Amino acid sequence: MRFVITRSFHRFRLLAVFALLALGAGSALAEVPAVVQSKLSRGINLSFWFANRDNPKIEPRLFWPDRSDLAQLRSIGFRHVRIPLERAWIADPRDPSKIDPAHADEFARAVELVAANQLLAVVTLTTTTDDLDRMLTDKPWRDTVAALWWSLARQLSARVPADKLVFEVINEPATENAAASVALMQTLAGAVRDAAPRHTIVVAGHKYSSVDELVTLKPFLDTNLVYSFHFYEPMNFTHQGAWWGWPMWAKLRGLPYPSTEALVAPLLASLDADAQPHARYYGQQEWNRGKLAAILDKVAQWQAQNGVPVWCSEFGAVKTNTAPASRQAWLRDTRTLLEQRRIPWTHFDFSQHMGIVDGAQGERVWDRGALEALGLGAPRSN
């Protein structure tokens, strides 16, 4: 059965279960076009370009890429960019099942600019925790978002061909309920598939789409899907200094990678008393290349068992509270471990707390140590 829609009271209504994407046996790896798989090999997240548009702290010249930035990204070796797109911003405020015409055109022109710079664009729908919870628990709202996706995918696929554009239906469906997450993925992916039959679609596991969630996912029947995961292990290292999430992260700083109890011990006196046990335990865990490899082996095994393509769509480390040498060592180990397992990757992020650039458009300062750790070339001089 195909995705069927009709107009009623000036909005799209979903009328069918997306049997096309019902759970079942995995599909062959070759079903995802070879050119898409090649371009997914290494990429960068552009996290603040079309998300947080109402946040006055997101100054465009600092956080948005321009034409020169995109050309630079391609020249140093990136093959794709991942663009989170905020649901509330792209939706028509009068009817959330439709796209806002002006915003949709602005976004389409940005995707066309990416394609013009020979980069694959991966469009990723993102939203608030409350909105995600509503999608997961409220079927009419889930159908409304699917109708929005249908309209967006139809417009974008008409302007950008399948070898230059991929659709990722939702970013991090933050729920413990794996079945609800699968239902959301199926509904949204079904809408996209009907609107864009030839374009590749990305789905992921529940919660924060980590390795453990990926390996519990049963592949769908659709043959042109990529399965993504995020990798931030160990979180106390990659998120030290983070002002979001667990409050303890903001109190951690200077944790080394690799870690041993002896390396961490001199740092303890400089940390808040309540942070010291967490830092001490991090040292005792002895995080190193072998420990990261054991986690990523789970992904390689799952991929081999199911015969479907996987992709690490986020990995990175906060640079504010981390010694550059430790951050570069972690990036190098993670990147090379992914490549050894033939898992494509996307660094998080372009700018800001995990970024590879500082400064405004036209005055970028590139993190050459991070670029080297990612196996990329040196940026051209401005």
Side-chain angles (χ1 to χ4, degrees):
M1 190 185 328
R2 294 296 299 232
F3 175 77
V4 182
I5 60 171
T6 185
R7 285 187 179 276
S8 175
F9 303 103
H10 305 291
R11 65 179 293 179
F12 289 114
R13 302 289 295 182
L14 303 187
L15 301 178
V17 175
F18 304 120
L20 179 66
L21 288 169
L23 290 179
S27 58
L29 184 64
E31 293 296 336
V32 174
V35 64
V36 171
Q37 293 190 56
S38 175
K39 289 180 178 180
L40 280 177
S41 59
R42 53 188 182 273
I44 190 79
N45 279 272
L46 303 176
S47 298
F48 296 96
W49 197 7
F50 285 95
N52 295 294
R53 280 297 185 105
D54 295 328
N55 186 341
K57 295 181 180 179
I58 305 301
E59 205 283 309
R61 292 188 64 249
L62 290 175
F63 302 118
W64 298 5
D66 62 10
R67 186 183 300 272
S68 175
D69 292 326
L70 294 173
Q72 188 80 281
L73 290 172
R74 183 66 178 86
S75 74
I76 63 180
F78 287 112
R79 304 296 306 281
H80 72 270
V81 297
R82 182 173 181 256
I83 312 172
L85 173 63
E86 192 170 351
R87 183 207 62 79
W89 182 83
I90 199 66
D92 188 327
R94 298 163 299 182
D95 184 346
S97 69
K98 298 178 182 178
I99 54 178
D100 180 293
H103 287 179
D105 183 65
E106 179 186 351
F107 185 70
R109 284 186 280 110
V111 173
E112 289 172 334
L113 180 62
V114 167
N117 280 278
Q118 302 177 49
L119 292 162
L120 176 75
V122 183
V123 177
T124 307
L125 196 68
T126 187
T127 188
T128 65
T129 300
D130 289 343
D131 194 31
L132 264 174
D133 185 63
R134 188 178 178 190
M135 292 182 204
L136 291 159
T137 59
D138 182 343
K139 186 179 183 301
W141 183 245
R142 184 161 66 243
D143 291 349
T144 295
V145 177
L148 173 73
W149 244 132
W150 187 92
S151 298
L152 178 64
R154 189 182 191 191
Q155 179 180 115
L156 290 176
S157 63
R159 295 175 63 162
V160 184
D163 63 342
K164 294 179 171 62
L165 174 63
V166 168
F167 298 110
E168 183 177 0
V169 294
I170 198 74
N171 178 64
E172 293 186 351
T175 176
E176 297 283 345
N177 189 334
S181 177
V182 166
L184 176 61
M185 292 284 174
Q186 286 180 286
T187 301
L188 300 184
V192 173
R193 173 59 66 233
D194 190 80
R198 296 173 59 83
H199 285 65
T200 298
I201 296 172
V202 177
V203 295
H206 61 295
K207 293 175 70 174
Y208 295 96
S209 303
S210 69
V211 170
D212 287 342
E213 284 68 57
L214 172 71
V215 299
T216 65
L217 191 61
K218 187 176 181 182
F220 295 2
L221 285 175
D222 190 283
T223 57
N224 193 6
L225 293 184
V226 171
Y227 297 80
S228 79
F229 68 98
H230 295 174
F231 191 78
Y232 292 105
E233 301 294 341
M235 293 287 285
N236 280 352
F237 173 78
T238 63
H239 283 61
Q240 59 184 317
W243 59 88
W244 68 95
W246 189 36
M248 190 60 64
W249 289 333
K251 299 181 179 183
L252 294 173
R253 61 185 178 276
L255 297 182
Y257 174 87
S259 74
T260 65
E261 193 168 6
L263 287 173
V264 170
L267 304 171
L268 296 178
S270 66
L271 300 177
D272 290 355
D274 55 347
Q276 291 177 13
H278 301 286
R280 185 179 295 110
Y281 181 59
Y282 169 74
Q284 293 168 349
Q285 288 179 297
E286 296 190 346
W287 281 96
N288 53 36
R289 182 182 178 89
K291 206 173 182 77
L292 299 182
I295 300 173
L296 291 173
D297 280 342
K298 298 179 185 178
V299 178
Q301 292 164 6
W302 185 87
Q303 178 176 16
Q305 290 167 0
N306 291 287
V308 294
V310 299
W311 166 44
C312 180
S313 56
E314 287 187 18
F315 78 104
V318 176
K319 58 188 179 183
T320 311
N321 284 17
T322 309
S326 287
R327 179 170 177 255
Q328 290 163 21
W330 184 88
L331 288 174
R332 185 178 296 104
D333 277 356
T334 302
R335 187 264 302 177
T336 55
L337 288 168
L338 288 167
E339 291 176 348
Q340 287 172 2
R341 288 153 183 78
R342 297 184 178 180
I343 299 171
W345 53 261
T346 312
H347 178 259
F348 196 94
D349 201 5
F350 171 65
S351 63
Q352 250 274 355
H353 46 275
M354 293 183 175
I356 57 170
V357 299
D358 290 307
Q361 294 171 357
E363 303 172 348
R364 301 295 193 195
V365 178
W366 294 78
D367 187 335
R368 292 174 181 265
L371 292 178
E372 188 279 329
L374 293 171
L376 300 165
R380 299 190 305 261
S381 299
N382 290 333

